[in-house]
Amino acid sequence: EIVMTQSPATLSMSPGERATLSCRASQSISSDLAWYQQKPGQAPRLLIYGASTRATGIPARFSGSGSGTEFTLTISSLQSEDFAVYYCQQYNNWPPLTFGGGTKVEIK
Amino acid sequence: EVQLVESGGGLVQPGGSLRLSCAASGFTFSSYNMNWVRQAPGKGLEWLSYISNSGSSMFYADSVKGRFTTSRDNARNSLFLQMHNLRAEDTALYYCVRGICTTCDTGRWFDPWGQGTLVTVSS
């Protein structure tokens, strides 16, 4: 099973700042990585797949990068609606499909 | 609009059974694989099961293998999760999710997600 590790667990940021979230895979997963955003009381929403391709309707301030075992989600300028929990998910080697533990982006 | 609506959650005693349903609309259900993902209260996401578009192939997480069974009815655009021998640790919000792939020689990512149905296992 591929273990996904996200860091940090919590990121305290101010609106307008640049946020950088990390996701590490326990073995190479090529670019088979997705990112999701989950707001309180809501279902997760797909942001990124293929490590760097934005899903339909996702603002350009969200960008993904990386391959192999190291991945990054960057939010270029945090908006109020971006404060949420973010999860990465690998789909290279399955079953099982596995998620990281999440990074909470909170308002400083 | 693509929509997934789960139902069937509730309170069940340890050792009990429950059947979850997911009604799909807004897309050609029979063309897509489907999955169940759960989220325990205050915790992260856990993939549980996959079923191919035809229903001929299924995979499960080790945590539910042998206890949970996923099935689908393409004529009724519906997905199901039959859960037996439920445990306290199965308490979670259960999401129905559509699996997406491009070349499909690897796994799937999930889009969209339903709003979830809550299962509580307690005496």
Side-chain angles (χ1 to χ4, degrees), chain A residues 1 32 34 36 38 41-46 48-50 55 87 89-101, chain B residues 35 37 39 43-47 50 59-62 93 95 100 102 105-116:
Chain A
E1 172 177 332
D32 297 329
Y36 303 87
Q38 186 177 34
Q42 295 185 18
R45 175 177 71 145
L46 176 69
I48 301 279
Y49 62 92
Y87 294 95
Q89 176 234 330
Q90 70 82 22
Y91 51 91
N92 178 265
N93 191 321
W94 73 297
L97 297 160
T98 51
F99 293 88
Chain B
N35 300 258
V37 175
Q39 186 170 35
K43 301 298 184 182
L45 302 168
E46 179 188 17
W47 170 81
Y50 159 96
F59 298 115
Y60 298 93
D62 286 347
L93 190 61
Y95 293 105
I100 304 291
T102 49
D105 54 351
T106 57
R108 278 86 175 122
W109 60 93
F110 306 124
D111 183 45
W113 298 58
Q115 283 303 302

Side-chain angles (χ1 to χ4, degrees), chain B residues 23-104:
Chain B
S25 60
F27 65 102
T28 305
F29 182 70
S30 60
S31 294
Y32 289 86
N33 70 87
M34 297 297 294
N35 300 258
W36 289 97
V37 175
R38 72 182 176 186
Q39 186 170 35
K43 301 298 184 182
L45 302 168
E46 179 188 17
W47 170 81
L48 297 180
S49 72
Y50 159 96
I51 185 166
S52 62
N53 64 313
S54 66
S56 62
S57 179
M58 288 82 76
F59 298 115
Y60 298 93
D62 286 347
S63 59
V64 304
K65 198 175 295 182
R67 299 189 299 126
F68 291 12
T69 301
T70 190
S71 61
R72 64 191 296 161
D73 183 341
N74 284 345
R76 297 183 178 182
N77 292 339
S78 294
L79 176 72
F80 306 101
L81 185 67
Q82 179 67 56
M83 305 184 293
H84 294 297
N85 192 20
L86 284 160
R87 308 165 180 166
E89 54 265 35
D90 294 318
T91 295
L93 190 61
Y94 285 71
Y95 293 105
C96 166
V97 294
R98 186 176 68 171
I100 304 291
C101 56
T102 49
T103 59
C104 299

Side-chain angles (χ1 to χ4, degrees), chain A residues 25 53 86-87 107:
Chain A
T53 302
Y86 293 84
Y87 294 95
I107 300 176

